């Protein structure tokens, strides 16, 4: 199916002439009169569409009103200039706040860097070159710590790293890379050694100390940025990594190893390990008692092994995802602070080698924002993991990386327009990026509706969720158009879900028996795949959620429906407690609201149109819930979501 290029609200608004707000003094955004008028307006605009095809006869009063329309000066439906200015300011406030909410844009659910919550403190302690350099571990201690690995004492290596952090010393590039390599290569010690630790404790302990190092010495420090650049480009110097291209760097080699393990047959790895054990056994002399009398020879046979290839298949994957988790966390922390420090000129700074974030240095080598071989392989790995149904926590690590790259691609095409930034803005690079992910998914030998639903579920980017949901829905229903909330309302109005069966189709891909199955490159692609009514309705909701999150519709809806905390209002009717939104007493930090977002009259009208149809969806769901208990159960998640958007949309 050829991809359909759509213009988003930001690109549509950019192509139109800017409509400046009226030149009047700015009223209070949360004034009771503005809130009351906006609320009445929102309740009235739902009457512009008929909820059914039936037409009601016009009353004589309506006929007289049509024959004698009111004058422009006496038309109550016109928005007063003050309310129009309020709509401008509230939309600018919502979009500007989300622009700096990097923990939401990067979907930092696991960990939110402290510096993103206190930018002023970070600027004084980490960014300013007047602040002292981070204390680093002394050269003698560094050598002693690294020697613990050569002396077969990984537990002491982890202990020395912890002691360095307790002294508030940065462990340095060499020890950081050595710790990552230890997590990849350390094998179970021989029972003959009688050690008092388990290999799992070594891997977990090393991962914890490296994460603590990132938290105590974040990459936003001006003096540690070169160190973290060297870490992600570090070398894996163990003999088992001789086949890796060291010029690619540590980060890319970890992804290459993950890709190789997904496609590698299990019996090949077993034969390699058994062959190595056999060769080791052949070196034994006939008289084992004489052989073990020599301590050095005994240590040669029982010494601790640092070899990634000797690990079982399941353990190799666990080690790779543990290391990748730390590297992705490093990229997230660096990119989050980079966005806050570079709110404007993102394209220029992203393409500047001395100012770009770590993710840009790893993904692109020129032509920033393009879909290169690295991104294609990343998509392929992500799709294969979903197709083989790897553990969700492991897929989440790769999904976080995909989300970082997605935000970087979008920022690479954001440029100033008349001194302002259109946001959210989706242009050619982002559209092509999303189409490439769908193309990778559609060309998979495991392609099915189930794989599409699992992939959409594991994505963290609202933009990618929306685009993949659109592609799948259009593949099922050519008439679907989800470019705005009107399209979702049309889906409910036309009851498109009735085109599919009520029962869930038989799963075309059963749960694999092993935890990390091997990719079957010779798999025969399924000819057809079905979807049931519940899956179709839930898919529509996923797309609607992604659309609302991407354009911050719930936040804007709550802003225009807000009322003062004292409850004063000129209305004679007092809203129910469940329909009332009280203004928060604490004022937001103005420094965390980006003031350079471009807001035009056309953009405000598009948001108003989306909110109108969001209210109509609420009315339609209420009607469906009253019709039958089956449809109420079918749209249970829709009803729950609307109540989360705003209590006034709750359906009893």
């Amino acid at each position: 199916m050829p991809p359909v290029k759509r213009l988003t609200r930001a690109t549509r608004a950019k192509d139109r002439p800017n409509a400046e707000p009226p030149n009047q003094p700015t009223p209070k955004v949360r004034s009771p009169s503005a809130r009351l008028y906006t609320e009445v307006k929102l309740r009235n605009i739902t009457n512009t569409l008929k909820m059914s095809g039936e037409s009601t006869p016009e009353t004589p009063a309506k006929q007289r009103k049509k024959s004698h329309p009111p004058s422009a000066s006496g038309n109550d439906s016109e928005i007063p200039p003050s309310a129009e200015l309020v709509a401008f300011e509230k939309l600018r406030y919502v979009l500007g706040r989300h622009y700096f909410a990097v923990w939401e844009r990067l979907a930092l659910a696991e960990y939110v860097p402290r510096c993103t919550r206190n930018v002023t403190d970070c600027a004084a302690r980490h960014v300013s070159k007047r602040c002292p350099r981070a204390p680093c571990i002394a050269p003698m201690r560094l050598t002693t710590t690294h020697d613990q690995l050569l002396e077969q004492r990984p537990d002491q290596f982890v202990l020395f790293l912890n002691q360095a952090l307790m002294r508030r010393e940065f462990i340095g590039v060499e020890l950081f890379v050595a710790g990552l390599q230890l997590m990849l290569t350390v094998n179970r010690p021989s029972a003959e050694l009688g050690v008092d630790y388990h290999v799992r404790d070594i891997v977990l302990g090393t991962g914890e100390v490296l994460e603590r190092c990132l938290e105590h010495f974040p990459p936003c420090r001006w003096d540690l940025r070169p160190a973290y650049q060297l870490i992600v480009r570090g070398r894996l110097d163990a003999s088992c990594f001789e086949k890796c291209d060291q010029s690619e760097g540590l980060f890319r080699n970890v992804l290459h190893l993950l890709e190789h393990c997904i496609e590698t047959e299990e019996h090949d790895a077993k034969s390699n390990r058994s062959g190595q054990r056999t060769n080791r056994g052949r070196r034994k002399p006939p008289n084992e008692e004489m052989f073990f009398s020599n301590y050095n020879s005994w240590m040669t046979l029982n010494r601790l092994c640092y070899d990634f290839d000797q690990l079982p298949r399941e353990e190799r994957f666990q080690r790779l995802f543990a290391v990748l988790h730390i590297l992705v966390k490093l990229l997230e922390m660096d990119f989050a602070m980079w966005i806050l420090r570079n709110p404007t000129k993102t394209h220029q700074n992203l393409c500047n080698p001395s100012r770009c974030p770590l993710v840009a240095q790893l993904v692109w080598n020129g032509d920033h924002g393009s879909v290169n071989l690295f991104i294609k392989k990343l998509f392929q790995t992500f799709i294969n993991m979903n197709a083989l149904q790897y553990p969700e926590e492991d897929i989440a690590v790769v999904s976080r990386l995909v989300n970082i790259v997605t935000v970087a691609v979008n920022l690479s095409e954001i440029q100033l327009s008349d001194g302002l930034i259109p946001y959210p803005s989706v242009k050619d690079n982002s559209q092509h990026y999303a189409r490439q992910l769908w193309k990778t998914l559609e060309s998979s030998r495991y392609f099915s509706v189930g794989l599409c639903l699992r992939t959409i579920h594991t994505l963290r980017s609202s933009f990618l969720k929306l685009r993949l949901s659109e592609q799948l829905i259009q593949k099922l229903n050519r008439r679907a158009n989800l470019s705005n909330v009107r399209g979702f309302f049309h889906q409910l109005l036309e009851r498109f879900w009735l085109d599919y069966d009520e029962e869930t189709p038989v799963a075309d891909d059963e749960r694999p028996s092993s935890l990390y199955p091997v990719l079957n490159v010779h798999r025969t692609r399924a000819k057809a795949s079905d979807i049931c009514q519940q899956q179709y309705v839930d898919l529509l909701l996923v797309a609607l959620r992604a659309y609302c999150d991407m354009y911050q519709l719930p936040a804007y809806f709550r802003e225009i429906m807000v009322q003062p905390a004292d409850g004063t209002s000129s209305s004679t009717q007092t809203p129910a407690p469940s329909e009332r939104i009280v203004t928060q007493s604490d004022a937001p930090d103005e420094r965390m609201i980006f003031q350079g977002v471009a807001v035009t009259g056309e953009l405000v009208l598009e948001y108003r149109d989306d909110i109108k149809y969001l209210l109509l969806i609420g009315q339609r769901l209420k009607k469906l819930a009253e019709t039958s208990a089956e449809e109420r159960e079918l749209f249970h998640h829709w009803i729950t979501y609307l109540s989360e958007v705003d209590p006034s949309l709750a359906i009893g």
Side-chain angles (χ1 to χ4, degrees), residues 251-297:
F251 181 81
R252 286 200 172 198
N253 279 325
V254 169
L255 290 178
H256 293 331
L257 288 171
L258 178 60
E259 179 186 5
H260 176 72
C261 289
I262 292 175
E263 301 173 355
T264 301
E265 294 288 345
E266 177 68 16
H267 62 81
D268 293 341
K270 286 183 178 180
S271 62
N272 292 336
R273 293 197 298 269
S274 62
Q276 292 175 2
R277 286 195 297 267
T278 303
N279 293 334
R280 180 180 294 183
R282 289 174 182 173
R283 290 195 297 267
K284 290 184 179 181
N287 192 343
E288 291 189 358
E289 293 182 359
M290 293 180 58
F291 180 79
F292 283 111
S293 63
N294 189 325
Y295 177 77
N296 292 330
S297 300

Side-chain angles (χ1 to χ4, degrees), residues 540-558:
L540 281 175
L541 178 59
V542 170
L544 177 62
R545 276 179 175 269
Y547 182 92
C548 292
D549 292 342
M550 182 177 173
Y551 294 108
Q552 290 295 291
L553 276 182
Y556 183 59
F557 181 84
R558 287 189 287 266

Side-chain angles (χ1 to χ4, degrees), residues 361-550:
Q361 297 180 8
L362 294 173
V363 176
W364 295 288
N365 185 16
D367 196 12
H368 292 73
S370 62
V371 179
N372 54 16
L373 182 61
F374 174 87
I375 294 179
K376 291 180 180 179
K377 285 184 173 293
L378 177 62
F379 284 166
Q380 192 68 59
T381 301
F382 180 66
I383 298 300
N384 289 339
M385 291 175 60
N386 280 280
L388 299 173
Q389 302 185 45
Y390 281 10
E392 291 187 4
E393 59 271 15
D394 296 336
I395 298 178
V397 177
V398 182
S399 180
R400 288 162 56 193
L401 178 58
V402 172
N403 188 50
I404 298 174
V405 178
T406 305
V407 178
V409 170
N410 183 251
L411 288 177
S412 69
E413 57 186 6
I414 292 182
Q415 297 187 12
L416 289 174
S417 176
D418 298 330
L420 298 174
I421 293 178
Y423 177 80
S425 176
V426 180
K427 298 182 181 178
D428 292 340
N429 282 352
S430 298
Q431 297 283 14
H432 178 63
Y433 178 83
R435 287 196 299 266
Q436 184 63 43
L437 178 58
W438 171 255
K439 181 180 178 181
T440 306
L441 175 60
E442 196 175 22
S443 60
S444 173
R445 292 182 177 271
Y446 290 80
F447 178 80
S448 65
V449 171
L451 174 59
C452 294
L453 296 178
R454 287 196 304 272
T455 304
I456 294 172
H457 173 73
T458 55
L459 283 170
R460 295 201 171 196
S461 168
S462 299
F463 166 67
L464 290 182
K465 276 191 174 184
L466 176 61
R467 289 296 178 262
L468 261 64
S469 300
E470 280 183 320
Q471 294 284 0
L472 179 57
I473 291 174
Q474 287 186 346
K475 193 177 184 68
L476 300 170
N477 182 4
R478 296 282 183 177
R479 296 172 293 172
N481 181 12
L482 305 181
S483 58
N484 48 34
V485 183
R486 183 198 301 248
F488 294 95
F489 172 73
H490 184 67
Q491 290 279 324
L492 300 185
L493 195 63
E494 298 295 332
R495 304 172 67 89
F496 283 123
W497 66 88
L498 296 179
D499 296 340
Y500 308 99
D501 296 333
E502 295 183 5
E503 298 181 357
T504 305
V506 179
D508 48 4
D509 41 4
E510 299 179 356
R511 186 74 184 177
S513 57
S514 60
L515 197 60
Y516 298 99
V518 182
L519 183 70
N520 183 8
V521 295
H522 304 293
R523 175 187 171 95
T524 303
R525 181 184 172 119
K527 295 182 179 180
S529 183
D530 298 327
I531 191 172
C532 67
Q533 292 183 7
Q534 187 67 61
Q535 289 175 330
Y536 188 82
V537 169
D538 291 343
L539 178 61
L540 281 175
L541 178 59
V542 170
L544 177 62
R545 276 179 175 269
Y547 182 92
C548 292
D549 292 342
M550 182 177 173

Side-chain angles (χ1 to χ4, degrees), residues 4 57 125 158 183 193 208 214 220-221 229 247 259 261 286 334 350 415 424 433 450 492 506 514 546 575 596 598 625:
V4 180
R125 298 176 54 190
V158 178
M183 296 174 64
L193 295 177
E208 290 175 359
L214 291 178
C220 55
R221 293 187 63 104
Q229 290 176 345
S247 63
E259 179 186 5
C261 289
D334 173 75
L350 197 72
Q415 297 187 12
Y433 178 83
L492 300 185
V506 179
S514 60

Side-chain angles (χ1 to χ4, degrees), residues 32-231:
S33 59
R35 195 278 314 165
L36 176 62
Y37 185 85
T38 307
E39 183 175 352
V40 174
K41 181 67 179 176
L42 286 172
R43 290 176 179 174
N44 290 339
I45 60 180
T46 58
N47 299 325
T48 58
L49 281 183
K50 295 182 179 180
M51 301 301 296
S52 63
E54 300 177 358
S55 60
T56 56
E58 294 183 348
T59 61
K62 288 186 178 180
Q63 294 177 357
R64 288 194 301 270
K65 190 174 182 180
K66 278 189 174 182
S67 59
H68 302 284
S71 61
S73 59
N75 190 357
D76 295 336
S77 63
E78 291 292 333
I79 302 179
S82 59
E84 186 176 346
L85 188 59
V86 167
F88 267 82
E89 293 303 321
K90 288 195 173 184
L91 183 57
R92 192 190 307 275
Y93 167 78
V94 169
L95 296 181
R97 181 179 58 185
H98 185 256
Y99 190 88
F100 276 162
V102 291
W103 50 89
E104 295 181 5
R105 295 174 65 181
L106 296 177
L108 303 180
E110 288 78 10
Y111 169 76
V112 178
R114 290 193 299 266
C115 292
T116 61
R117 301 290 190 180
N118 196 342
V119 181
T120 304
D121 184 64
C122 175
R125 298 176 54 190
H126 298 159
V127 181
S128 176
K129 294 187 178 181
R130 296 180 179 179
C131 63
R133 291 177 175 269
C136 297
I137 189 171
M140 183 174 295
R141 282 176 171 165
L142 187 149
T143 304
T144 304
T145 304
H146 196 274
D147 287 344
Q148 302 306 307
L149 297 178
L150 302 178
E151 297 173 3
Q152 313 295 313
R153 291 187 289 188
D155 56 333
Q156 292 296 313
F157 175 81
V158 178
L159 178 62
F160 286 2
L161 292 183
N162 276 298
Q163 291 176 352
L165 292 182
M166 292 176 64
R167 296 191 302 267
R168 297 189 176 277
E169 295 176 350
F170 180 62
I171 61 177
V173 177
E174 183 179 350
L175 293 182
F176 203 106
V177 175
L180 294 175
Q181 183 168 263
L182 174 65
M183 296 174 64
L184 288 174
T185 58
V186 62
N187 279 238
R188 287 184 174 85
S190 172
E192 298 290 334
L193 295 177
V195 296
D196 56 352
Y197 62 84
H198 298 283
V199 67
R200 178 177 175 82
D201 299 333
I202 299 299
V203 176
L204 294 179
T206 307
E208 290 175 359
V209 71
L210 294 182
E211 287 194 62
R212 284 172 47 211
C213 179
L214 291 178
E215 296 170 7
H216 292 319
F217 302 96
C220 55
R221 293 187 63 104
W222 69 274
D223 56 326
L224 295 183
R225 180 171 178 79
Y228 284 113
Q229 290 176 345
L230 293 175
I231 287 174

